[in-house]
Amino acid sequence: MDRSLLENLAGLMIHKGHYFARIYSCIPASKELNISSAVCLGIINGTEGGCSATELKEMSCYDKALISRMLTDMQNDGYIIRNPEDKDKQRGMRYIPSEKGKILGDMLSVEFLKISSEVSKDIPKEDLKTFYEVSCKLINNLGEYAGELESVKLEKGK
């Protein structure tokens, strides 16, 4: 792949993250959760019957370790609870928003929808879908690459 294209893609991802963080910091409810947790709370809040960690990973593009930490933190902070209707606690455990999580999730959903509709205007839905799928792949690849770098670093440190 052309080096300048790779540099442009990396720059785009950095700028995207920077602008999103700036927008997110202007939302009053953002003081309670970081961006990643807010995204996950929004997904859990908007899914009938809640979400399992695996479903959350697929819908958010975050890695398994981050999902696990966020679920634990959000549960400890009272934003989510385990779905009491789950029969099998070990497989497919689902999380639902607590009352506190539902209120905050609803507030954030309204803001995210407003932002999403504004930034995606004049872009065909098919292009947005393709962009989302490619972005998820890039983010996953970046995570795998970072993991590989970390393991090489640990091996050299022996």
Side-chain angles (χ1 to χ4, degrees):
M1 185 179 276
D2 184 3
R3 180 178 167 84
S4 63
L5 178 57
L6 286 174
E7 290 169 350
N8 288 338
L9 287 172
L12 177 64
M13 292 177 76
I14 290 166
H15 285 295
K16 178 182 169 254
H18 173 75
Y19 286 126
F20 188 73
R22 179 184 279 170
I23 291 166
Y24 180 70
S25 69
C26 295
I27 299 171
S30 70
K31 307 302 181 261
E32 296 188 42
L33 289 176
N34 64 37
I35 294 172
S36 303
S37 295
V39 168
C40 288
L41 179 60
I43 292 169
I44 292 169
N45 193 40
T47 305
E48 186 73 29
C51 269
S52 69
T54 302
E55 292 167 333
L56 201 52
K57 178 186 178 304
E58 291 168 3
M59 290 188 265
S60 69
C61 295
Y62 296 132
D63 68 33
K64 192 174 169 181
L66 180 59
I67 293 289
S68 180
R69 282 192 307 272
M70 285 189 299
L71 287 172
T72 299
D73 290 346
M74 287 192 297
Q75 192 172 9
N76 290 341
D77 293 340
Y79 292 106
I80 59 172
I81 58 173
R82 291 180 178 169
N83 189 339
E85 297 175 7
D86 281 345
K87 303 293 184 236
D88 186 353
K89 300 292 183 198
Q90 296 303 315
R91 295 173 140 218
M93 187 176 1
R94 301 178 76 72
Y95 295 89
I96 58 174
S98 64
E99 194 57 40
K100 174 182 176 181
K102 183 149 181 49
I103 292 167
L104 183 61
D106 288 345
M107 289 170 47
L108 291 170
S109 292
V110 168
E111 291 298 324
F112 286 144
L113 284 173
K114 195 169 24 173
I115 293 166
S116 295
S117 64
E118 190 63 33
V119 299
S120 63
K121 67 181 177 192
D122 302 326
I123 302 173
K125 285 190 181 202
E126 192 56 41
D127 289 351
L128 289 171
K129 182 180 175 192
T130 301
F131 175 76
Y132 178 77
E133 290 169 353
V134 170
S135 296
C136 285
K137 288 177 185 173
L138 284 169
I139 291 166
N140 286 332
N141 290 347
L142 184 60
E144 289 173 12
Y145 179 73
E148 290 170 12
L149 288 177
E150 187 63 28
S151 67
V152 168
K153 182 179 168 186
L154 291 173
E155 286 178 17
K156 286 182 178 178
K158 286 184 181 178

